[in-house]
């Protein structure tokens, strides 16, 4: 007993629910710190897993560990991602329902690593056949490909995901993984043409230059040195110590062949990657009329070859804009600034759409064509809340997404939990929590929300500007409690605000957004003649990405923010129809340093991840709950009266069973018959939870 107490003192408790001082944030932090210092990076709050990034390799992901967690009751082993994965899997198999695991946390907290480890766990522990081996390999290898094209080195993370990802793993009735499907969200296209100091473009560019063989680079018209490419050097850190581009290139190349990319696909794909680099090196100068002309024809020749587009038409499209005037098309020359703008717009469009093509292509290879019913486990690895020195449209979208996911968590855990007790007629003292619905509404409400206001401004081309958008915001949502206008800045947050900024008080903290570029990024315009060039490309991927139907002027494409809003709404619908598991990742310090536990930084994350509220709700509630029928089915063998068959109502059978086992009245509650549940308190119903 004494030994156990000393051990507990050293390594803390493995479930926060067991903390003596469960309402104190300091006790919470102390427990997390103790465990982190002992390399125990995982701790539960009931069935939610809190994970702190170790920033070093731990030997807890071996095959032996995977086998250890396989099929074992959740609370019987120390907390682990594998326990979360295994639990979702086992419930899916026994109850034949769909699940998702939501992995959240800020940039660098370990979301992507966690989702990869879960996928590996399924790949190793689920039953498979030789035939299914290929599906397994494709599921695993889709990661390096998507990371090459969708991840980049940022100041916060050397392998930061710059897109959101939701992946369904499909299982057949035997529990074997038989297919998958990926949804991607809003890739950060602006990175293609601009990177902040200390950051890089997407990995694939550097991988290609470092790893591509001589013949390939020669065919693409590329030099090996990244310093030669304007799109690769703005962050001034083409080489990163922790990244081995050459090696990663080999992995990506191998992945392509397993995921069923044809040689033609690969040729077209790298033709596009190289073209983006060539676009970046196109320079314009002014002719005597002040119009833009291309300074050197080399790059454009390469692009014309690689994308299979007509050289002179491309040249014209980069320096002119086609305008329709009185049902006539007129070519209007661009000035140098606009020509650079058009060049960057086309590079971003090509890259962004190629990324979507890539996801579709991978989906094609993961698709399971047989029509038997399948169950799924979805893994959601989506960008965390972001506060940079300058926050733009991208951060606005990312943080809005985090508000939506927080809302989902509230709906599915805090609110749902409390409502369930009410429905069951079980006594319950409400726990206060901040409901961020008010912020979601501020952003997404029809007509009155920020996205609607932004879209409205985008409908006034030539008249509206980022500043007029700001003015509209002030007029329409200026008095909202979570919006800070320039006029009210000092009163609401005691901090002044720049004249081009607006500030939102998010659930996770306040963020100041610079409105410059909002309209342009939301419109995401590509000049019509550039679109025409691409629609007629001989490069198969480009042709798939730019359809002739887009040239129809009567169709006004949805704005970026609205598309994003709609895709988030359908994501939330997908998630709401499944059983949730949560992994909350915490970043221990800003320096990517192992062993360093920055109290201030972690306290902030504990706060905004809502971990204390979650703990309080968990403490007040019952850890294990099952419908009467399922409960009886599972445990009837423990009581002579219910074994082998119980012929009366299930609720009565459960009551007999519980009494026979000898639980004290305060250890369980029976829910109302309308919503039949049996709930047993922390000791666990059967198979007592042992805490080491
Ligand atoms: P972003 O939102 O920027 O994509 P993220 O939450 O996905 O961030 P990861 O890329 O998963 O963060 O993790 C960042 C880095 O932290 C990894 O590259 C790895 O070096 C380290 N790391 C994360 N989790 C672990 C782990 N379980 N074990 C060892 N190292 C880890
Ligand atoms: Mg990531």
């Amino acid at each position: 007993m004494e030994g156990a107490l000393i051990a507990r003192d050293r390594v803390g408790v493995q479930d926060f629910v067991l903390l003596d001082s469960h309402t104190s944030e300091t006790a919470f932090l102390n427990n997390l710190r103790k465990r982190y210092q002992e390399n125990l990076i995982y701790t539960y709050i009931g069935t939610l897993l809190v994970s702190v990034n170790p920033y070093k390799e731990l030997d807890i992901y071996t095959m032996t560990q995977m086998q250890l967690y396989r099929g074992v009751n959740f609370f019987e082993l120390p907390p682990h991602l594998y326990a979360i994965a295994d639990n979702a899997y086992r419930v899916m198999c026994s109850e034949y329902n769909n699940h998702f695991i939501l992995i959240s946390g800020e940039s660098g907290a370990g979301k992507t690593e966690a989702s990869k480890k879960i996928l590996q766990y399924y790949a190793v522990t689920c039953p498979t056949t030789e035939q299914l081996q290929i599906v397994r390999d494709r599921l695993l290898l889709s990661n390096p490909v998507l990371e090459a094209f969708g991840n980049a080195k940022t100041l916060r993370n050397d392998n930061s995901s710059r897109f959101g990802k939701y992946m369904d793993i499909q299982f057949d009735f035997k529990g074997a993984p038989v297919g998958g499907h990926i949804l991607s969200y809003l890739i950060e296209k602006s990175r293609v043409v601009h990177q902040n100091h200390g950051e890089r473009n997407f990995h694939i560019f550097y991988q290609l230059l470092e790893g591509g063989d001589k013949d390939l680079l020669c065919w693409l018209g590329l030099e090996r040195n990244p310093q030669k490419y304007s799109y690769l050097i703005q962050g001034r850190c083409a080489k990163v110590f922790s990244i081995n581009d050459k090696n990663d290139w080999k992995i990506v190349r191998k992945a392509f062949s397993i995921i069923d990319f044809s040689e033609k696909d690969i040729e077209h794909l790298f033709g596009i990657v190289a073209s983006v680099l060539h676009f970046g090196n196109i320079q314009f100068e002014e002719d005597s009329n002040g119009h833009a002309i291309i300074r050197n024809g080399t790059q454009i020749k390469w692009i014309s070859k690689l994308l299979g587009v007509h050289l002179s038409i491309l040249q014209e499209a980069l320096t002119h804009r086609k305008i329709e005037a009185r049902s006539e098309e007129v070519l209007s020359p661009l000035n140098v600034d606009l020509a650079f703008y058009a060049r960057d717009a086309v590079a971003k469009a090509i890259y962004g759409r190629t990324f979507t093509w890539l996801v579709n292509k991978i989906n094609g290879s993961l698709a399971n064509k047989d029509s038997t019913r399948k169950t799924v486990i979805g893994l959601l690895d989506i960008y965390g809340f972001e506060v940079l020195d300058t926050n733009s449209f991208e951060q606005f979208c990312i943080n809005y997404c985090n508000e939506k996911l927080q809302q989902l968590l509230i709906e599915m855990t805090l609110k749902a939990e409390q409502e369930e007790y009410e429905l069951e007629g079980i006594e319950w003292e409400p726990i206060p929590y901040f409901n961020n619905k008010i912020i979601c509404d501020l952003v997404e409400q029809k007509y009155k929300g920020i996205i609607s206001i932004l879209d409205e401004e985008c409908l006034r081309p030539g008249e509206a500007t980022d500043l007029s958008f700001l003015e509209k915001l002030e007029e329409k949502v200026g008095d909202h409690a979570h919006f800070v206008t320039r006029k009210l800045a000092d009163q609401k947050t005691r901090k002044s605000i720049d004249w081009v900024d607006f500030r939102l008080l998010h659930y996770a903290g306040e963020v100041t957004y610079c409105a410059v570029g909002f309209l342009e990024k939301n419109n995401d315009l590509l000049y019509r003649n550039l679109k025409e060039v691409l629609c007629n490309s001989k490069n198969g991927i480009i042709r798939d990405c730019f359809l002739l139907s887009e040239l129809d002027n009567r169709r006004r494409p949805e704005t970026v923010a609205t598309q994003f809003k709609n895709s988030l709404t359908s994501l939330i619908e997908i998630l709401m129809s499944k059983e949730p598991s949560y992994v909350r990742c915490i970043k221990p310090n800003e320096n990517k340093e192992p062993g360093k536990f920055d109290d201030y930084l972690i306290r902030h994350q504990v706060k905004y991840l809502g971990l204390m509220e979650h703990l309080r709700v968990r403490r007040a509630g019952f850890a294990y709950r099952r419908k009467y029928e399922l409960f009886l089915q599972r445990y009837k063998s423990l009581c002579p009266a219910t074994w082998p068959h119980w012929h009366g109502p299930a609720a009565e059978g459960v009551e007999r069973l519980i009494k026979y086992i000898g639980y004290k009245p305060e250890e369980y509650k029976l829910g109302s018959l309308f919503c039949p549940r049996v709930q047993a308190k922390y000791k666990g119903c059967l198979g007592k939870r042992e805490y080491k």
Side-chain angles (χ1 to χ4, degrees), residues 208-241:
L208 171 64
L209 296 187
E210 273 271 324
D213 64 41
K214 234 172 153 184
D215 289 348
L216 176 64
L217 294 192
C218 181
W219 184 78
L220 296 169
L222 295 176
E223 290 183 50
R224 202 171 283 291
N225 183 1
Q227 302 300 332
K228 298 274 181 195
Y229 298 98
S230 149
Y231 281 165
L232 302 185
I233 52 171
Q234 293 162 43
R236 300 202 189 90
C237 68
K239 194 85 207 101
V240 183
F241 169 72

mmCIF file of all heavy atoms in Angstrom, residues 208-241:
data_model
loop_
_atom_site.group_PDB
_atom_site.id
_atom_site.type_symbol
_atom_site.label_atom_id
_atom_site.label_comp_id
_atom_site.label_asym_id
_atom_site.label_seq_id
_atom_site.Cartn_x
_atom_site.Cartn_y
_atom_site.Cartn_z
ATOM 1 N N LEU A 208 11.865 16.840 -54.287
ATOM 2 C CA LEU A 208 12.124 16.623 -55.711
ATOM 3 C C LEU A 208 13.539 17.095 -56.075
ATOM 4 O O LEU A 208 14.293 16.389 -56.751
ATOM 5 C CB LEU A 208 11.074 17.367 -56.550
ATOM 6 C CG LEU A 208 11.312 17.433 -58.052
ATOM 7 C CD1 LEU A 208 11.277 16.046 -58.664
ATOM 8 C CD2 LEU A 208 10.249 18.305 -58.738
ATOM 9 N N LEU A 209 13.898 18.284 -55.604
ATOM 10 C CA LEU A 209 15.218 18.825 -55.970
ATOM 11 C C LEU A 209 16.344 18.007 -55.344
ATOM 12 O O LEU A 209 17.366 17.750 -55.971
ATOM 13 C CB LEU A 209 15.339 20.289 -55.546
ATOM 14 C CG LEU A 209 14.382 21.268 -56.235
ATOM 15 C CD1 LEU A 209 14.728 22.701 -55.859
ATOM 16 C CD2 LEU A 209 14.395 21.116 -57.746
ATOM 17 N N GLU A 210 16.159 17.589 -54.098
ATOM 18 C CA GLU A 210 17.214 16.827 -53.407
ATOM 19 C C GLU A 210 17.304 15.399 -53.918
ATOM 20 O O GLU A 210 18.385 14.859 -54.104
ATOM 21 C CB GLU A 210 16.892 16.759 -51.910
ATOM 22 C CG GLU A 210 17.400 17.909 -51.094
ATOM 23 C CD GLU A 210 18.809 17.665 -50.585
ATOM 24 O OE1 GLU A 210 19.128 16.518 -50.255
ATOM 25 O OE2 GLU A 210 19.562 18.649 -50.536
ATOM 26 N N GLY A 211 16.131 14.783 -54.108
ATOM 27 C CA GLY A 211 16.118 13.340 -54.337
ATOM 28 C C GLY A 211 15.930 12.928 -55.794
ATOM 29 O O GLY A 211 16.364 11.851 -56.186
ATOM 30 N N GLY A 212 15.302 13.780 -56.589
ATOM 31 C CA GLY A 212 15.013 13.414 -57.981
ATOM 32 C C GLY A 212 16.302 13.121 -58.738
ATOM 33 O O GLY A 212 17.295 13.833 -58.555
ATOM 34 N N ASP A 213 16.298 12.071 -59.592
ATOM 35 C CA ASP A 213 17.579 11.794 -60.261
ATOM 36 C C ASP A 213 17.827 12.812 -61.374
ATOM 37 O O ASP A 213 16.933 13.557 -61.777
ATOM 38 C CB ASP A 213 17.672 10.327 -60.709
ATOM 39 C CG ASP A 213 16.642 9.995 -61.757
ATOM 40 O OD1 ASP A 213 16.427 10.832 -62.641
ATOM 41 O OD2 ASP A 213 16.029 8.911 -61.666
ATOM 42 N N LYS A 214 19.065 12.786 -61.821
ATOM 43 C CA LYS A 214 19.537 13.799 -62.763
ATOM 44 C C LYS A 214 18.645 13.895 -64.006
ATOM 45 O O LYS A 214 18.279 14.984 -64.441
ATOM 46 C CB LYS A 214 20.944 13.393 -63.222
ATOM 47 C CG LYS A 214 21.978 14.461 -63.026
ATOM 48 C CD LYS A 214 23.262 13.848 -63.319
ATOM 49 C CE LYS A 214 24.348 14.722 -63.799
ATOM 50 N NZ LYS A 214 25.508 13.893 -64.126
ATOM 51 N N ASP A 215 18.301 12.711 -64.533
ATOM 52 C CA ASP A 215 17.514 12.687 -65.777
ATOM 53 C C ASP A 215 16.153 13.341 -65.567
ATOM 54 O O ASP A 215 15.667 14.086 -66.421
ATOM 55 C CB ASP A 215 17.285 11.243 -66.233
ATOM 56 C CG ASP A 215 18.575 10.645 -66.734
ATOM 57 O OD1 ASP A 215 19.539 11.420 -66.919
ATOM 58 O OD2 ASP A 215 18.621 9.414 -66.893
ATOM 59 N N LEU A 216 15.556 13.052 -64.412
ATOM 60 C CA LEU A 216 14.234 13.622 -64.135
ATOM 61 C C LEU A 216 14.337 15.150 -64.059
ATOM 62 O O LEU A 216 13.564 15.877 -64.696
ATOM 63 C CB LEU A 216 13.687 13.050 -62.812
ATOM 64 C CG LEU A 216 12.354 13.642 -62.355
ATOM 65 C CD1 LEU A 216 11.242 13.302 -63.347
ATOM 66 C CD2 LEU A 216 11.949 13.129 -60.963
ATOM 67 N N LEU A 217 15.323 15.628 -63.294
ATOM 68 C CA LEU A 217 15.457 17.089 -63.158
ATOM 69 C C LEU A 217 15.728 17.731 -64.511
ATOM 70 O O LEU A 217 15.204 18.804 -64.824
ATOM 71 C CB LEU A 217 16.574 17.429 -62.167
ATOM 72 C CG LEU A 217 16.330 17.007 -60.704
ATOM 73 C CD1 LEU A 217 17.356 17.644 -59.790
ATOM 74 C CD2 LEU A 217 14.941 17.386 -60.229
ATOM 75 N N CYS A 218 16.514 17.040 -65.306
ATOM 76 C CA CYS A 218 16.843 17.567 -66.628
ATOM 77 C C CYS A 218 15.566 17.646 -67.472
ATOM 78 O O CYS A 218 15.297 18.653 -68.128
ATOM 79 C CB CYS A 218 17.875 16.631 -67.226
ATOM 80 S SG CYS A 218 18.402 17.144 -68.821
ATOM 81 N N TRP A 219 14.757 16.604 -67.395
ATOM 82 C CA TRP A 219 13.505 16.577 -68.159
ATOM 83 C C TRP A 219 12.533 17.674 -67.699
ATOM 84 O O TRP A 219 11.760 18.222 -68.480
ATOM 85 C CB TRP A 219 12.859 15.186 -67.979
ATOM 86 C CG TRP A 219 11.619 15.013 -68.782
ATOM 87 C CD1 TRP A 219 11.551 14.762 -70.120
ATOM 88 C CD2 TRP A 219 10.277 15.113 -68.306
ATOM 89 N NE1 TRP A 219 10.236 14.697 -70.506
ATOM 90 C CE2 TRP A 219 9.427 14.903 -69.414
ATOM 91 C CE3 TRP A 219 9.698 15.349 -67.064
ATOM 92 C CZ2 TRP A 219 8.049 14.929 -69.330
ATOM 93 C CZ3 TRP A 219 8.315 15.371 -66.970
ATOM 94 C CH2 TRP A 219 7.497 15.165 -68.090
ATOM 95 N N LEU A 220 12.630 17.995 -66.404
ATOM 96 C CA LEU A 220 11.735 19.032 -65.857
ATOM 97 C C LEU A 220 12.329 20.435 -65.990
ATOM 98 O O LEU A 220 11.681 21.420 -65.649
ATOM 99 C CB LEU A 220 11.448 18.746 -64.376
ATOM 100 C CG LEU A 220 10.699 17.451 -64.054
ATOM 101 C CD1 LEU A 220 10.724 17.167 -62.567
ATOM 102 C CD2 LEU A 220 9.242 17.536 -64.546
ATOM 103 N N GLY A 221 13.566 20.491 -66.448
ATOM 104 C CA GLY A 221 14.222 21.798 -66.597
ATOM 105 C C GLY A 221 14.603 22.416 -65.263
ATOM 106 O O GLY A 221 14.627 23.643 -65.110
ATOM 107 N N LEU A 222 14.883 21.560 -64.261
ATOM 108 C CA LEU A 222 15.178 22.089 -62.924
ATOM 109 C C LEU A 222 16.647 21.916 -62.565
ATOM 110 O O LEU A 222 17.313 20.982 -63.021
ATOM 111 C CB LEU A 222 14.346 21.347 -61.872
ATOM 112 C CG LEU A 222 12.823 21.538 -61.941
ATOM 113 C CD1 LEU A 222 12.142 20.665 -60.891
ATOM 114 C CD2 LEU A 222 12.420 22.999 -61.744
ATOM 115 N N GLU A 223 17.117 22.820 -61.722
ATOM 116 C CA GLU A 223 18.454 22.666 -61.143
ATOM 117 C C GLU A 223 18.280 22.143 -59.733
ATOM 118 O O GLU A 223 17.265 22.391 -59.089
ATOM 119 C CB GLU A 223 19.144 24.027 -61.096
ATOM 120 C CG GLU A 223 19.514 24.531 -62.456
ATOM 121 C CD GLU A 223 20.258 25.851 -62.358
ATOM 122 O OE1 GLU A 223 21.221 25.926 -61.562
ATOM 123 O OE2 GLU A 223 19.845 26.793 -63.051
ATOM 124 N N ARG A 224 19.313 21.455 -59.232
ATOM 125 C CA ARG A 224 19.154 20.822 -57.922
ATOM 126 C C ARG A 224 19.087 21.837 -56.777
ATOM 127 O O ARG A 224 18.506 21.603 -55.730
ATOM 128 C CB ARG A 224 20.321 19.846 -57.696
ATOM 129 C CG ARG A 224 19.980 18.786 -56.673
ATOM 130 C CD ARG A 224 21.008 17.696 -56.592
ATOM 131 N NE ARG A 224 20.964 16.709 -57.655
ATOM 132 C CZ ARG A 224 20.011 15.802 -57.837
ATOM 133 N NH1 ARG A 224 18.987 15.765 -57.009
ATOM 134 N NH2 ARG A 224 20.069 14.937 -58.815
ATOM 135 N N ASN A 225 19.658 22.986 -56.987
ATOM 136 C CA ASN A 225 19.812 23.958 -55.902
ATOM 137 C C ASN A 225 18.517 24.743 -55.629
ATOM 138 O O ASN A 225 18.084 25.545 -56.463
ATOM 139 C CB ASN A 225 20.939 24.923 -56.315
ATOM 140 C CG ASN A 225 21.228 25.907 -55.232
ATOM 141 O OD1 ASN A 225 20.609 25.871 -54.164
ATOM 142 N ND2 ASN A 225 22.178 26.796 -55.503
ATOM 143 N N PRO A 226 17.903 24.570 -54.440
ATOM 144 C CA PRO A 226 16.645 25.290 -54.158
ATOM 145 C C PRO A 226 16.816 26.806 -54.140
ATOM 146 O O PRO A 226 15.840 27.546 -54.348
ATOM 147 C CB PRO A 226 16.231 24.773 -52.771
ATOM 148 C CG PRO A 226 17.353 23.986 -52.241
ATOM 149 C CD PRO A 226 18.297 23.672 -53.353
ATOM 150 N N GLN A 227 18.047 27.261 -53.923
ATOM 151 C CA GLN A 227 18.285 28.707 -53.887
ATOM 152 C C GLN A 227 17.958 29.373 -55.221
ATOM 153 O O GLN A 227 17.826 30.585 -55.312
ATOM 154 C CB GLN A 227 19.758 29.007 -53.544
ATOM 155 C CG GLN A 227 20.229 28.431 -52.227
ATOM 156 C CD GLN A 227 19.432 28.952 -51.037
ATOM 157 O OE1 GLN A 227 18.902 30.058 -51.077
ATOM 158 N NE2 GLN A 227 19.306 28.130 -50.010
ATOM 159 N N LYS A 228 17.849 28.569 -56.268
ATOM 160 C CA LYS A 228 17.586 29.135 -57.594
ATOM 161 C C LYS A 228 16.106 29.473 -57.790
ATOM 162 O O LYS A 228 15.732 30.022 -58.815
ATOM 163 C CB LYS A 228 17.974 28.114 -58.686
ATOM 164 C CG LYS A 228 19.413 27.743 -58.698
ATOM 165 C CD LYS A 228 20.173 28.755 -59.524
ATOM 166 C CE LYS A 228 21.648 28.392 -59.580
ATOM 167 N NZ LYS A 228 22.482 29.456 -60.036
ATOM 168 N N TYR A 229 15.272 29.075 -56.844
ATOM 169 C CA TYR A 229 13.832 29.239 -57.066
ATOM 170 C C TYR A 229 13.200 30.223 -56.089
ATOM 171 O O TYR A 229 13.235 30.021 -54.878
ATOM 172 C CB TYR A 229 13.137 27.863 -57.025
ATOM 173 C CG TYR A 229 13.679 27.004 -58.119
ATOM 174 C CD1 TYR A 229 14.674 26.070 -57.855
ATOM 175 C CD2 TYR A 229 13.293 27.222 -59.437
ATOM 176 C CE1 TYR A 229 15.247 25.334 -58.886
ATOM 177 C CE2 TYR A 229 13.858 26.501 -60.473
ATOM 178 C CZ TYR A 229 14.834 25.565 -60.201
ATOM 179 O OH TYR A 229 15.408 24.872 -61.220
ATOM 180 N N SER A 230 12.664 31.237 -56.682
ATOM 181 C CA SER A 230 12.115 32.338 -55.894
ATOM 182 C C SER A 230 11.045 31.873 -54.899
ATOM 183 O O SER A 230 10.958 32.372 -53.776
ATOM 184 C CB SER A 230 11.577 33.367 -56.892
ATOM 185 O OG SER A 230 10.513 34.046 -56.371
ATOM 186 N N TYR A 231 10.238 30.884 -55.287
ATOM 187 C CA TYR A 231 9.184 30.393 -54.384
ATOM 188 C C TYR A 231 9.738 29.558 -53.222
ATOM 189 O O TYR A 231 8.987 29.163 -52.342
ATOM 190 C CB TYR A 231 8.172 29.532 -55.149
ATOM 191 C CG TYR A 231 7.138 30.289 -55.961
ATOM 192 C CD1 TYR A 231 6.376 29.617 -56.919
ATOM 193 C CD2 TYR A 231 6.888 31.640 -55.768
ATOM 194 C CE1 TYR A 231 5.405 30.278 -57.670
ATOM 195 C CE2 TYR A 231 5.930 32.314 -56.517
ATOM 196 C CZ TYR A 231 5.192 31.634 -57.461
ATOM 197 O OH TYR A 231 4.234 32.289 -58.194
ATOM 198 N N LEU A 232 11.044 29.254 -53.257
ATOM 199 C CA LEU A 232 11.577 28.383 -52.205
ATOM 200 C C LEU A 232 12.484 29.099 -51.211
ATOM 201 O O LEU A 232 12.943 28.496 -50.250
ATOM 202 C CB LEU A 232 12.365 27.213 -52.827
ATOM 203 C CG LEU A 232 11.599 26.312 -53.793
ATOM 204 C CD1 LEU A 232 12.468 25.143 -54.226
ATOM 205 C CD2 LEU A 232 10.320 25.781 -53.149
ATOM 206 N N ILE A 233 12.730 30.344 -51.449
ATOM 207 C CA ILE A 233 13.777 30.963 -50.622
ATOM 208 C C ILE A 233 13.300 32.132 -49.769
ATOM 209 O O ILE A 233 14.094 32.755 -49.078
ATOM 210 C CB ILE A 233 14.971 31.446 -51.505
ATOM 211 C CG1 ILE A 233 14.456 32.317 -52.637
ATOM 212 C CG2 ILE A 233 15.765 30.266 -52.026
ATOM 213 C CD1 ILE A 233 15.557 33.006 -53.405
ATOM 214 N N GLN A 234 11.996 32.365 -49.795
ATOM 215 C CA GLN A 234 11.566 33.543 -49.039
ATOM 216 C C GLN A 234 11.713 33.388 -47.535
ATOM 217 O O GLN A 234 11.913 34.348 -46.820
ATOM 218 C CB GLN A 234 10.120 33.848 -49.377
ATOM 219 C CG GLN A 234 9.990 34.292 -50.797
ATOM 220 C CD GLN A 234 8.574 34.165 -51.264
ATOM 221 O OE1 GLN A 234 7.647 34.513 -50.547
ATOM 222 N NE2 GLN A 234 8.408 33.667 -52.456
ATOM 223 N N GLY A 235 11.600 32.144 -47.055
ATOM 224 C CA GLY A 235 11.752 31.905 -45.612
ATOM 225 C C GLY A 235 13.202 31.767 -45.210
ATOM 226 O O GLY A 235 13.534 31.674 -44.034
ATOM 227 N N ARG A 236 14.096 31.727 -46.180
ATOM 228 C CA ARG A 236 15.548 31.591 -45.977
ATOM 229 C C ARG A 236 15.908 30.368 -45.135
ATOM 230 O O ARG A 236 16.732 30.455 -44.225
ATOM 231 C CB ARG A 236 16.124 32.842 -45.303
ATOM 232 C CG ARG A 236 15.895 34.086 -46.128
ATOM 233 C CD ARG A 236 16.857 35.188 -45.794
ATOM 234 N NE ARG A 236 16.440 36.391 -46.476
ATOM 235 C CZ ARG A 236 15.614 37.288 -45.963
ATOM 236 N NH1 ARG A 236 15.139 37.109 -44.750
ATOM 237 N NH2 ARG A 236 15.259 38.349 -46.644
ATOM 238 N N CYS A 237 15.265 29.241 -45.395
ATOM 239 C CA CYS A 237 15.669 28.035 -44.660
ATOM 240 C C CYS A 237 15.356 26.793 -45.480
ATOM 241 O O CYS A 237 14.708 25.871 -44.997
ATOM 242 C CB CYS A 237 15.022 27.970 -43.292
ATOM 243 S SG CYS A 237 13.267 27.726 -43.359
ATOM 244 N N ALA A 238 15.866 26.767 -46.716
ATOM 245 C CA ALA A 238 15.561 25.632 -47.582
ATOM 246 C C ALA A 238 16.017 24.317 -46.953
ATOM 247 O O ALA A 238 15.399 23.275 -47.138
ATOM 248 C CB ALA A 238 16.226 25.829 -48.934
ATOM 249 N N LYS A 239 17.099 24.388 -46.188
ATOM 250 C CA LYS A 239 17.612 23.149 -45.570
ATOM 251 C C LYS A 239 17.223 23.145 -44.096
ATOM 252 O O LYS A 239 17.459 24.106 -43.382
ATOM 253 C CB LYS A 239 19.142 23.140 -45.728
ATOM 254 C CG LYS A 239 19.771 21.821 -45.443
ATOM 255 C CD LYS A 239 19.763 20.875 -46.652
ATOM 256 C CE LYS A 239 19.785 19.420 -46.189
ATOM 257 N NZ LYS A 239 18.522 18.716 -46.202
ATOM 258 N N VAL A 240 16.636 22.035 -43.655
ATOM 259 C CA VAL A 240 16.229 21.936 -42.253
ATOM 260 C C VAL A 240 16.890 20.708 -41.634
ATOM 261 O O VAL A 240 16.834 19.610 -42.195
ATOM 262 C CB VAL A 240 14.688 21.796 -42.129
ATOM 263 C CG1 VAL A 240 14.262 21.759 -40.674
ATOM 264 C CG2 VAL A 240 14.006 22.945 -42.850
ATOM 265 N N PHE A 241 17.521 20.927 -40.484
ATOM 266 C CA PHE A 241 18.289 19.890 -39.818
ATOM 267 C C PHE A 241 17.481 18.607 -39.590
ATOM 268 O O PHE A 241 17.947 17.499 -39.823
ATOM 269 C CB PHE A 241 18.810 20.465 -38.497
ATOM 270 C CG PHE A 241 19.399 19.448 -37.582
ATOM 271 C CD1 PHE A 241 20.638 18.872 -37.884
ATOM 272 C CD2 PHE A 241 18.728 19.053 -36.434
ATOM 273 C CE1 PHE A 241 21.180 17.922 -37.043
ATOM 274 C CE2 PHE A 241 19.270 18.102 -35.593
ATOM 275 C CZ PHE A 241 20.505 17.533 -35.901
#
